[in-house]
């Protein structure tokens, strides 16, 4: 079955399940009602009683099982990543409604940073790499040019700002990272300044995505030129001993957050050019929710970077060697977190999806996700051939 036919046949079912999810979310504050719904859902899953005698929660559970089936089929038939992601989100949210109705605020925050944010970023990895290229390539080229020719930095920064940078990182400055106007500021005051300045940059990079993504690309390009130019210029005039130990620590969070903000802005633009089977306004709403998740994660990383910059990077009592070691650890942590966080739960939810599929009900205790998925596909092939096509983007 082609993806377009698959979507046309089941889109109404998916919409109904989404409506049930929304209704269930509104009732979360009513603990007794939630407890009764949990009991009804558990009974429906475990007893398989006749539909006519089931409590009201049966429809939700029945649709949840069908959504799990569709998710498994979409994976096996290699439908578009957008469709697979959409069904995956329905499975995840349905799983939460069934088993995590009473989760508290801190639990949801924990889940966001351990699952939602990193998985969302990896889902849109292509936009992340595009954003990284638009930032990193001009940074490297401008950094090399400014290192070889110190006057090159004046092409992207006015002379007074260049002088300010030189003052901040001059080895003779007893408060590295601060110019003469901020030497009297406390670390806490600088912490607030860094949050205001750097989070503002993230929001501007993201917000410019509304202009068909061109604004975001230009913002990334400009920030890459400036940051690379400053790094090359200060290194070229002999300020490496103060500049690099200062920026190495917080740079892992701050620079990565800027790139993620760019990916979030590009996600907005993508919905305008590639709405898939949605109307553009609907695609834009979906992209808005997803991009905000990326932006919140990026802003949090910038907040952490501001803390490190104010209380660690600016310290004169910490040896440079220690700063470099900590910087390497922080870079490894950021990369590992974004690449690995949420993968185990993602695999577990995929296993749950296949287990709850009627096509695989005879193999509830399969050993691996891959084996179960192949069995589900082979059983289904008897009634409808699977076509391995990419289909339209959702």
């Amino acid at each position: 079955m082609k993806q377009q036919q698959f979507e046309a046949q089941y889109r109404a079912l998916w919409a109904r399940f989404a409506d049930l999810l929304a209704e269930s979310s509104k009732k979360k504050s009513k603990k007794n009602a939630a407890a009764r719904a949990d009991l009804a859902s558990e009974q429906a899953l475990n007893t398989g009683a006749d539909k006519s005698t089931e409590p009201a929660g049966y429809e939700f559970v029945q649709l949840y099982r069908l959504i799990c089936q569709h998710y498994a089929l979409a994976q096996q038939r290699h439908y578009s990543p957008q469709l697979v992601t959409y069904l995956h989100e329905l499975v995840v949210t349905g799983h939460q409604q069934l088993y995590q109705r009473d989760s508290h605020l801190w639990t949801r925050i924990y889940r966001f940073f351990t699952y939602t944010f990193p998985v969302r970023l990896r889902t849109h990895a292509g936009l992340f790499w595009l954003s990284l290229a638009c930032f990193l390539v001009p940074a490297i080229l401008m950094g090399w040019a400014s290192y070889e020719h110190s006057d090159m930095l004046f092409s992207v920064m006015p002379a007074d700002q260049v002088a300010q940078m030189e003052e901040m990182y001059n080895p003779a400055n007893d408060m590295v990272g601060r110019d003469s106007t901020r030497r009297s500021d406390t670390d806490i005051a600088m912490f607030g300044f860094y949050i205001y300045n750097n989070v503002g940059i993230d929001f501007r990079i993201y917000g410019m995505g509304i202009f068909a993504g061109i604004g975001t690309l230009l913002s990334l390009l400009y920030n890459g030129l400036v940051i690379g130019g400053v790094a090359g210029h200060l290194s070229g005039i002999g300020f490496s001993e103060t500049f690099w130990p200062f920026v190495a620590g917080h740079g892992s969070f701050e620079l990565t957050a800027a790139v993620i903000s760019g990916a979030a802005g590009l996600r907005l633009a993508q919905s305008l050019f590639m709405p898939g089977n949605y109307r553009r306004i609907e695609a834009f709403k979906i992209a808005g929710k997803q991009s905000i998740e990326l932006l919140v994660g990026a802003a949090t990383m910038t907040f952490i970077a501001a803390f490190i910059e104010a209380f660690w990077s600016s310290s004169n009592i910490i040896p440079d060697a220690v700063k470099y070691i900590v910087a390497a650890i922080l870079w490894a942590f950021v990369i590992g977190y974004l690449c690995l966080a949420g993968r185990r739960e993602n695999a577990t939810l995929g296993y749950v999806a296949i287990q709850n599929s009627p096509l695989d009900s005879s193999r509830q205790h399969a050993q691996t996700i891959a084996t179960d998925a192949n069995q589900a596909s082979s059983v289904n092939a008897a009634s409808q051939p699977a076509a391995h096509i990419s289909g339209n983007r959702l």
Side-chain angles (χ1 to χ4, degrees), residues 182 189-204 302-303 306:
R182 293 192 173 275
M190 293 304 298
F191 177 46
F193 171 76
Y194 293 142
I195 293 175
Y196 172 79
N197 182 71
N198 297 338
V199 173
I201 293 175
D202 291 343
F203 275 75
R204 286 193 292 272
T302 303
F303 180 88

Side-chain angles (χ1 to χ4, degrees), residues 3 67 70-71 74-75 79-93 115-116 119-125 267 278 286 290 293 346 393-394:
Q3 177 176 328
I67 296 295
H70 298 163
Y71 172 53
Q75 286 184 308
Y79 287 154
S80 68
Q82 286 77 11
L83 177 59
V84 173
T85 299
Y86 173 70
L87 293 175
H88 176 262
E89 289 182 350
L90 290 179
V91 170
V92 170
T93 309
Y115 179 81
T116 304
V119 170
R120 176 69 64 203
L121 181 62
R122 292 196 297 270
T123 300
H124 300 293
R267 178 68 186 98
Y278 290 101
I286 295 173
Q290 296 175 351
E293 292 174 346
N346 199 26
R393 293 183 178 271
L394 193 66

Side-chain angles (χ1 to χ4, degrees), residues 261-284:
S261 298
L266 293 175
R267 178 68 186 98
L268 284 179
Q270 184 185 44
S271 66
L272 301 177
F273 292 102
M274 304 172 63
N277 292 330
Y278 290 101
R279 294 184 301 171
R280 278 184 168 78
I281 186 63
E282 295 174 344
F284 188 77

Side-chain angles (χ1 to χ4, degrees), residues 2 99 115 124 126 149 162 246:
K2 293 184 178 180
Y99 303 110
Y115 179 81
H124 300 293
H149 308 281
V162 174
F246 182 87

Side-chain angles (χ1 to χ4, degrees), residues 19-184:
D19 291 340
L20 291 176
L21 289 175
E23 293 174 5
S24 179
S25 297
K26 293 178 182 178
K27 297 178 182 178
K28 273 189 173 182
S29 59
K30 300 179 181 179
K31 294 184 178 181
N32 292 334
R36 289 195 298 270
D38 278 344
L39 179 61
S41 299
E42 184 177 355
Q43 290 174 343
L45 282 172
N46 294 332
T47 64
D50 186 271
K51 181 175 180 180
S52 61
T53 62
E54 282 299 331
Y58 180 80
E59 181 186 10
F60 181 88
V61 177
Q62 184 185 41
L63 291 179
Y64 174 71
R65 291 171 63 87
L66 290 174
I67 296 295
C68 290
Q69 171 194 351
H70 298 163
Y71 172 53
L73 288 174
Q75 286 184 308
Q76 286 303 303
R77 293 175 177 177
H78 300 286
Y79 287 154
S80 68
Q82 286 77 11
L83 177 59
V84 173
T85 299
Y86 173 70
L87 293 175
H88 176 262
E89 289 182 350
L90 290 179
V91 170
V92 170
T93 309
H95 185 272
Q96 290 176 333
Q97 294 292 343
L98 284 173
Y99 303 110
Q100 301 178 17
R101 288 180 182 271
D102 294 325
S103 60
H104 297 289
L105 174 63
W106 291 110
T107 302
R108 294 196 294 270
I109 293 175
Y110 173 79
R111 177 176 174 76
F112 175 82
F113 288 108
T114 59
Y115 179 81
T116 304
F117 170 56
V119 170
R120 176 69 64 203
L121 181 62
R122 292 196 297 270
T123 300
H124 300 293
L127 298 178
F128 174 83
W129 291 118
L130 175 59
S131 178
L132 179 63
C134 291
F135 175 83
L136 190 60
V137 172
I140 293 175
L141 294 178
M142 190 63 181
W144 173 80
S146 298
Y147 181 82
E148 296 292 335
H149 308 281
S150 59
D151 294 340
M152 183 64 68
L153 182 59
F154 292 94
S155 63
V156 293
M157 289 184 69
D160 59 331
Q161 291 186 13
V162 174
Q164 184 183 37
M165 289 293 172
E166 293 177 352
E167 179 187 3
M168 290 169 59
Y169 298 102
N170 191 321
N173 184 0
D174 57 349
M175 300 190 71
V176 177
R178 302 184 189 180
D179 58 23
S180 57
T181 63
R182 293 192 173 275
R183 289 184 182 179
S184 61

Side-chain angles (χ1 to χ4, degrees), residues 364-378:
Q364 293 289 322
H365 303 289
Q367 298 300 313
T368 63
I369 296 175
T371 302
D372 281 352
N374 290 333
Q375 290 169 346
S377 179
S378 63

